[in-house]
Amino acid sequence: MKNIKPISLEDCLPLRQKVLWPSLTVEECIDPEDQYSKHVGYILDNQVISCFSIYPKLQNNYQIRKFATSPSFQRKGIGTKLFTTVLNDLKQKKIEFVTLNARITAVEFYKKFDFYLSGKKFIKKNIPFIPMQIALKDFNFKYNSIE
């Protein structure tokens, strides 16, 4: 996908801060594991409009972190396209499991990709989250291109 590409943490941080943690500084939005993560973005007109980080927890178990899409591009298929592309890429690389901590408000989004609840709800920075995961061998989501 020409719009989906690896990006730097510095390219990811402004959108992460704006969408996920607007009350924090950009520096406060940095996760200690960011240095070990890969960051991927959907680029449109040289701007990151959707992004997240991929953290290798174990050899065959990765975690998606800090998924953010610009408000003006939400509900237009951009995040779905980015997410689907990366999950398919991880499946091709024989990654077995993908986990994430979903904001309660995003659980239904992840369920449409067959992620399932895998832990107990917890609170981080006053926001409720719940762990979710998928076995990538079961992932078979095809996305119709928006381009």
Side-chain angles (χ1 to χ4, degrees):
M1 296 280 144
K2 65 180 181 174
N3 295 87
I4 296 172
K5 52 186 76 171
I7 60 174
S8 69
L9 174 61
E10 290 73 24
D11 291 335
C12 206
L13 284 174
L15 186 60
R16 181 188 287 184
Q17 186 268 337
K18 176 183 176 183
V19 174
L20 300 178
W21 311 107
S23 64
L24 302 179
T25 66
V26 169
E27 292 75 25
E28 291 172 316
C29 295
I30 297 173
D31 189 285
E33 282 88 16
D34 275 332
Q35 64 182 321
Y36 307 110
S37 299
K38 293 181 180 180
H39 311 283
V40 62
Y42 191 104
I43 313 301
L44 187 64
D45 298 329
N46 294 317
Q47 289 206 318
V48 177
I49 61 168
S50 187
C51 64
F52 58 83
S53 301
I54 307 163
Y55 175 69
K57 290 181 71 168
L58 299 169
Q59 183 176 357
N60 287 312
N61 184 343
Y62 281 44
Q63 185 177 40
I64 303 286
R65 296 178 170 194
K66 316 286 189 288
F67 192 171
T69 300
S70 177
S72 58
F73 290 97
Q74 291 177 5
R75 302 201 188 308
K76 295 184 178 180
I78 301 290
T80 295
K81 185 173 183 180
L82 176 61
F83 197 59
T84 302
T85 300
V86 171
L87 290 177
N88 279 318
D89 183 57
L90 292 173
K91 182 177 180 177
Q92 286 181 343
K93 292 177 179 173
K94 307 294 186 211
I95 302 304
E96 293 179 28
F97 292 95
V98 173
T99 63
L100 53 84
N101 293 321
R103 289 178 181 223
I104 297 300
T105 57
V107 166
E108 293 307 312
F109 174 81
Y110 296 115
K111 281 185 175 179
K112 75 181 181 181
F113 301 99
D114 293 329
F115 274 74
Y116 57 89
L117 302 179
S118 61
K120 295 183 180 179
K121 185 172 92 170
F122 65 94
I123 306 292
K124 180 179 176 184
K125 298 180 183 173
N126 295 319
I127 296 174
F129 291 85
I130 192 154
M132 298 183 80
Q133 71 177 17
I134 188 173
L136 282 182
K137 67 178 176 56
D138 299 331
F139 181 69
N140 194 26
F141 190 88
K142 301 294 183 214
Y143 186 75
N144 294 326
S145 178
I146 58 173
E147 297 179 318

